[in-house]
Amino acid sequence: MPQFDELLAESHRRGIRVIMDLVINHTSDEHPWFVESRSSKDNPKRDYYIWRPGKNGLEPNNWESIFGGSAWQLDEATGEYYMHLFSVKQPDLNWENADVRRELYDMINWWLDKGIDGFRVDAITHVKKIKSLPDLPNQDRKRYVPSWDGHRNREGLLDYLRELKAETFAKYDIMTVGEANGVELTQAEDFVGEAAGVFNMIFQFEHMTIDQGPGGKWNLRPDWKLSELKEILSRWQTGHEGRGWNALFLENHDVPRSVSRFGNDRDYHAASAKMLATCYMLMQGMPYIYQGQEIGMTNVRFDSLEQYRDVEIMNWFREGAAAGLSKSELLEPVYAQGRDNARTPMQWNGGKHAGFSQAEPWIEVNPNYVDINVERQLQDPHSILQYYKKLIRLRASELAAIYGSYELLLPEDERVYAYLRTLGEEKLLVLCSFCEHIAAICLPEEVAKSRSLLLLGNVKPAERITEDDALGGSLALQPYEARVYKLV
């Protein structure tokens, strides 16, 4: 704790605010509460978690864990099952118990009294379950059924969240962002509305499933279309306008690296990483940059199953092997979608363990750390890292990039994502090519006739910043090119 206190004080002295992760859907199975809870059926902490007897010699219901397998684990000592929507080592707390909620609120306020500046609230839409915990429909006769409908964004959730806010967040000048899987755009006022919203922002994940087939994340869908991504992001952009604030992201600890997923990490690594940054960071909302994204860290392709660490991947390997899948059939989806893609150590330099630690890290470093690292990119004025800095400065200097309305252009174009940000007379035009070939586009007439100043570009930017008499109707973008124009 003295180290944390020093971190907080020195961060604040530098004008940096510290946001902590808040996990209140579950605890570790090694937490003192759970140790007590599982010690006997009549322990005072028994009802802090969700315990049920088995049914017909099986689990209490047919719910599947988010990581695969049953959402229930048998405790041999007491003969009952506890619920774990995530890992077997993460038993779910029983939010129906008012004592649980009170203890959580006391813990939250302890941290806020210490002076932290807010929370990213983990898995918060899962805390309310269907009270009777019924079996879910199982038309496909699966052993376990994906259980989203049983515990995600259920009726009564907002009652809990309003109480949470009133007892904690509302008493402090802080920022909150909820990991809100399953929240619909129609619920914007309740979740992020300025007057009554329970959080300042939420992470919604609709765009994070665009490359997944009907079988889920391990069922790859390489033929996703750019127009689909535009539709999803634009719907949240326009739907939140005047009602709430978007949380903008392409990466986090649960999803693959964006340059490997939406760009080209082989032939156009730097260009596509810069383009993706341009595309999402100039939309309306708060951009989040995940560690390593700012240097273009890529997905990792380990050769051995034993090199992976993520519990979700481990479950996939076990269940896939039991179903008769080959090693390549197990690894290929992991190369594309596995969470360990985002969990290899941060690549600081070309030294041992990429400069992350002198000790052996929990997982191997991505072998490309020699070429992709912070130290190297700090020395290169045209690196991805230097481009992120320029992009952040641009966003901070142009009010239209923060407060301007959003308008999608060329919605059907499958090569170029184009949009306008408008604030009064100020207009920014953002053009981003998702294509490996030259992409010729025709801009709408009212945009084409505007005089323009190229503020930023990722292709020979120093040579391309000019002021034109008019932008012109036809433009040709290089592969993965990004341009940001100020229209005057």
Side-chain angles (χ1 to χ4, degrees), residues 400-427:
I402 301 174
Y403 300 110
S405 62
Y406 168 96
E407 179 186 354
L408 178 67
L409 305 177
L410 312 177
E412 304 301 324
D413 195 300
E414 300 295 352
R415 303 159 304 158
V416 176
Y417 198 137
Y419 62 89
L420 283 174
R421 299 293 310 281
T422 304
L423 182 66
E425 298 299 315
E426 296 183 28
K427 288 181 181 289

Short mmCIF file of all heavy atoms in Angstrom, two decimals, residues 400-427:
data_model
loop_
_atom_site.label_atom_id
_atom_site.label_comp_id
_atom_site.label_asym_id
_atom_site.label_seq_id
_atom_site.Cartn_x
_atom_site.Cartn_y
_atom_site.Cartn_z
N ALA A 400 -13.91 20.61 -32.73
CA ALA A 400 -14.84 19.80 -33.51
C ALA A 400 -14.56 18.31 -33.32
O ALA A 400 -15.47 17.48 -33.43
CB ALA A 400 -14.75 20.17 -34.98
N ALA A 401 -13.29 17.95 -33.03
CA ALA A 401 -12.94 16.55 -32.83
C ALA A 401 -13.49 16.02 -31.51
O ALA A 401 -13.63 14.82 -31.32
CB ALA A 401 -11.42 16.37 -32.87
N ILE A 402 -13.82 16.93 -30.59
CA ILE A 402 -14.35 16.51 -29.30
C ILE A 402 -15.87 16.67 -29.26
O ILE A 402 -16.60 15.73 -28.96
CB ILE A 402 -13.70 17.32 -28.16
CG1 ILE A 402 -12.18 17.12 -28.18
CG2 ILE A 402 -14.28 16.90 -26.81
CD1 ILE A 402 -11.44 17.97 -27.19
N TYR A 403 -16.33 17.86 -29.61
CA TYR A 403 -17.75 18.18 -29.43
C TYR A 403 -18.57 18.15 -30.72
O TYR A 403 -19.79 18.30 -30.67
CB TYR A 403 -17.89 19.55 -28.78
CG TYR A 403 -17.23 19.64 -27.43
CD1 TYR A 403 -16.08 20.40 -27.24
CD2 TYR A 403 -17.74 18.95 -26.34
CE1 TYR A 403 -15.46 20.49 -26.00
CE2 TYR A 403 -17.13 19.01 -25.10
CZ TYR A 403 -15.99 19.79 -24.93
OH TYR A 403 -15.38 19.85 -23.71
N GLY A 404 -17.91 18.01 -31.85
CA GLY A 404 -18.64 18.08 -33.11
C GLY A 404 -19.60 16.91 -33.32
O GLY A 404 -19.39 15.81 -32.82
N SER A 405 -20.66 17.17 -34.07
CA SER A 405 -21.57 16.10 -34.45
C SER A 405 -20.88 15.16 -35.44
O SER A 405 -19.87 15.52 -36.05
CB SER A 405 -22.85 16.66 -35.08
OG SER A 405 -22.53 17.37 -36.28
N TYR A 406 -21.41 13.97 -35.57
CA TYR A 406 -20.81 12.94 -36.42
C TYR A 406 -21.73 12.67 -37.59
O TYR A 406 -22.95 12.51 -37.41
CB TYR A 406 -20.60 11.66 -35.60
CG TYR A 406 -20.26 10.42 -36.38
CD1 TYR A 406 -18.95 10.01 -36.56
CD2 TYR A 406 -21.27 9.62 -36.94
CE1 TYR A 406 -18.64 8.85 -37.26
CE2 TYR A 406 -20.98 8.47 -37.64
CZ TYR A 406 -19.66 8.08 -37.79
OH TYR A 406 -19.36 6.93 -38.49
N GLU A 407 -21.16 12.61 -38.79
CA GLU A 407 -21.94 12.27 -39.99
C GLU A 407 -21.15 11.29 -40.84
O GLU A 407 -20.04 11.58 -41.28
CB GLU A 407 -22.25 13.52 -40.80
CG GLU A 407 -23.03 13.23 -42.07
CD GLU A 407 -23.21 14.45 -42.96
OE1 GLU A 407 -22.82 15.57 -42.51
OE2 GLU A 407 -23.72 14.31 -44.09
N LEU A 408 -21.72 10.12 -41.07
CA LEU A 408 -21.08 9.11 -41.90
C LEU A 408 -21.23 9.48 -43.37
O LEU A 408 -22.32 9.83 -43.83
CB LEU A 408 -21.69 7.74 -41.64
CG LEU A 408 -21.15 6.58 -42.48
CD1 LEU A 408 -19.70 6.28 -42.13
CD2 LEU A 408 -22.02 5.33 -42.29
N LEU A 409 -20.14 9.37 -44.12
CA LEU A 409 -20.16 9.54 -45.56
C LEU A 409 -19.89 8.19 -46.23
O LEU A 409 -19.28 7.31 -45.63
CB LEU A 409 -19.09 10.55 -46.00
CG LEU A 409 -19.12 11.93 -45.35
CD1 LEU A 409 -17.95 12.78 -45.85
CD2 LEU A 409 -20.45 12.64 -45.61
N LEU A 410 -20.33 8.04 -47.46
CA LEU A 410 -20.07 6.84 -48.25
C LEU A 410 -20.38 5.55 -47.48
O LEU A 410 -19.54 4.66 -47.33
CB LEU A 410 -18.60 6.81 -48.71
CG LEU A 410 -18.04 8.10 -49.33
CD1 LEU A 410 -16.56 7.93 -49.66
CD2 LEU A 410 -18.83 8.50 -50.55
N PRO A 411 -21.59 5.42 -46.96
CA PRO A 411 -21.90 4.29 -46.08
C PRO A 411 -21.75 2.92 -46.73
O PRO A 411 -21.47 1.93 -46.04
CB PRO A 411 -23.35 4.54 -45.66
CG PRO A 411 -23.90 5.45 -46.71
CD PRO A 411 -22.76 6.30 -47.15
N GLU A 412 -21.92 2.83 -48.04
CA GLU A 412 -21.88 1.54 -48.72
C GLU A 412 -20.49 1.18 -49.23
O GLU A 412 -20.27 0.05 -49.70
CB GLU A 412 -22.87 1.52 -49.90
CG GLU A 412 -24.30 1.85 -49.52
CD GLU A 412 -24.85 0.88 -48.48
OE1 GLU A 412 -24.51 -0.31 -48.54
OE2 GLU A 412 -25.62 1.34 -47.61
N ASP A 413 -19.54 2.09 -49.16
CA ASP A 413 -18.20 1.82 -49.67
C ASP A 413 -17.52 0.79 -48.77
O ASP A 413 -17.44 0.98 -47.56
CB ASP A 413 -17.38 3.11 -49.71
CG ASP A 413 -16.13 2.97 -50.56
OD1 ASP A 413 -15.29 2.11 -50.23
OD2 ASP A 413 -15.98 3.72 -51.55
N GLU A 414 -17.02 -0.29 -49.37
CA GLU A 414 -16.40 -1.36 -48.60
C GLU A 414 -14.89 -1.20 -48.44
O GLU A 414 -14.22 -2.10 -47.91
CB GLU A 414 -16.71 -2.72 -49.24
CG GLU A 414 -18.18 -3.07 -49.35
CD GLU A 414 -18.85 -3.26 -47.99
OE1 GLU A 414 -18.14 -3.26 -46.97
OE2 GLU A 414 -20.09 -3.38 -47.96
N ARG A 415 -14.36 -0.05 -48.89
CA ARG A 415 -12.91 0.15 -48.82
C ARG A 415 -12.54 1.30 -47.90
O ARG A 415 -11.49 1.24 -47.24
CB ARG A 415 -12.36 0.42 -50.22
CG ARG A 415 -12.65 -0.66 -51.25
CD ARG A 415 -12.55 -0.09 -52.65
NE ARG A 415 -13.44 1.06 -52.81
CZ ARG A 415 -13.30 2.01 -53.72
NH1 ARG A 415 -12.29 1.96 -54.58
NH2 ARG A 415 -14.16 3.01 -53.78
N VAL A 416 -13.36 2.32 -47.84
CA VAL A 416 -13.00 3.56 -47.14
C VAL A 416 -14.06 3.92 -46.12
O VAL A 416 -15.26 3.92 -46.41
CB VAL A 416 -12.81 4.72 -48.15
CG1 VAL A 416 -12.53 6.03 -47.40
CG2 VAL A 416 -11.68 4.41 -49.11
N TYR A 417 -13.59 4.22 -44.91
CA TYR A 417 -14.45 4.74 -43.85
C TYR A 417 -14.26 6.25 -43.84
O TYR A 417 -13.16 6.75 -43.55
CB TYR A 417 -14.04 4.15 -42.50
CG TYR A 417 -15.08 4.27 -41.39
CD1 TYR A 417 -15.34 3.19 -40.55
CD2 TYR A 417 -15.81 5.44 -41.19
CE1 TYR A 417 -16.28 3.28 -39.52
CE2 TYR A 417 -16.75 5.53 -40.19
CZ TYR A 417 -16.98 4.44 -39.36
OH TYR A 417 -17.92 4.55 -38.36
N ALA A 418 -15.31 7.00 -44.16
CA ALA A 418 -15.25 8.46 -44.25
C ALA A 418 -16.34 9.07 -43.38
O ALA A 418 -17.49 8.61 -43.41
CB ALA A 418 -15.41 8.92 -45.70
N TYR A 419 -15.97 10.09 -42.60
CA TYR A 419 -16.98 10.76 -41.80
C TYR A 419 -16.58 12.21 -41.55
O TYR A 419 -15.41 12.59 -41.68
CB TYR A 419 -17.24 10.04 -40.48
CG TYR A 419 -16.09 9.92 -39.52
CD1 TYR A 419 -15.83 10.91 -38.56
CD2 TYR A 419 -15.26 8.80 -39.53
CE1 TYR A 419 -14.78 10.79 -37.66
CE2 TYR A 419 -14.20 8.66 -38.62
CZ TYR A 419 -13.98 9.66 -37.70
OH TYR A 419 -12.94 9.54 -36.80
N LEU A 420 -17.60 13.02 -41.20
CA LEU A 420 -17.42 14.43 -40.87
C LEU A 420 -17.67 14.65 -39.38
O LEU A 420 -18.52 13.99 -38.78
CB LEU A 420 -18.41 15.30 -41.65
CG LEU A 420 -18.15 15.60 -43.11
CD1 LEU A 420 -19.35 16.34 -43.70
CD2 LEU A 420 -16.89 16.43 -43.28
N ARG A 421 -16.91 15.55 -38.78
CA ARG A 421 -17.20 16.06 -37.44
C ARG A 421 -17.45 17.56 -37.61
O ARG A 421 -16.60 18.28 -38.14
CB ARG A 421 -16.03 15.82 -36.49
CG ARG A 421 -15.65 14.35 -36.28
CD ARG A 421 -16.75 13.57 -35.54
NE ARG A 421 -17.19 14.23 -34.33
CZ ARG A 421 -16.52 14.21 -33.17
NH1 ARG A 421 -15.38 13.57 -33.07
NH2 ARG A 421 -17.00 14.84 -32.10
N THR A 422 -18.60 18.03 -37.16
CA THR A 422 -19.01 19.41 -37.38
C THR A 422 -19.40 20.09 -36.08
O THR A 422 -20.22 19.57 -35.31
CB THR A 422 -20.21 19.47 -38.36
OG1 THR A 422 -19.85 18.81 -39.58
CG2 THR A 422 -20.59 20.91 -38.65
N LEU A 423 -18.79 21.26 -35.83
CA LEU A 423 -19.13 22.09 -34.69
C LEU A 423 -19.27 23.51 -35.19
O LEU A 423 -18.27 24.20 -35.43
CB LEU A 423 -18.06 21.99 -33.60
CG LEU A 423 -18.32 22.79 -32.33
CD1 LEU A 423 -19.53 22.24 -31.58
CD2 LEU A 423 -17.09 22.78 -31.43
N GLY A 424 -20.51 23.97 -35.35
CA GLY A 424 -20.74 25.30 -35.92
C GLY A 424 -20.18 25.37 -37.32
O GLY A 424 -20.54 24.58 -38.20
N GLU A 425 -19.26 26.33 -37.55
CA GLU A 425 -18.63 26.47 -38.86
C GLU A 425 -17.40 25.59 -39.03
O GLU A 425 -16.84 25.50 -40.11
CB GLU A 425 -18.23 27.94 -39.07
CG GLU A 425 -19.40 28.92 -39.07
CD GLU A 425 -20.39 28.61 -40.18
OE1 GLU A 425 -19.93 28.36 -41.32
OE2 GLU A 425 -21.60 28.60 -39.91
N GLU A 426 -16.97 24.93 -37.95
CA GLU A 426 -15.78 24.09 -38.02
C GLU A 426 -16.15 22.69 -38.49
O GLU A 426 -17.11 22.09 -37.99
CB GLU A 426 -15.10 23.99 -36.65
CG GLU A 426 -14.56 25.31 -36.14
CD GLU A 426 -13.82 25.14 -34.82
OE1 GLU A 426 -13.28 24.05 -34.58
OE2 GLU A 426 -13.81 26.10 -34.03
N LYS A 427 -15.35 22.19 -39.44
CA LYS A 427 -15.60 20.84 -39.96
C LYS A 427 -14.29 20.08 -40.09
O LYS A 427 -13.29 20.64 -40.57
CB LYS A 427 -16.28 20.89 -41.34
CG LYS A 427 -17.73 21.34 -41.33
CD LYS A 427 -18.29 21.31 -42.74
CE LYS A 427 -19.75 21.79 -42.77
NZ LYS A 427 -20.66 20.81 -42.16
#
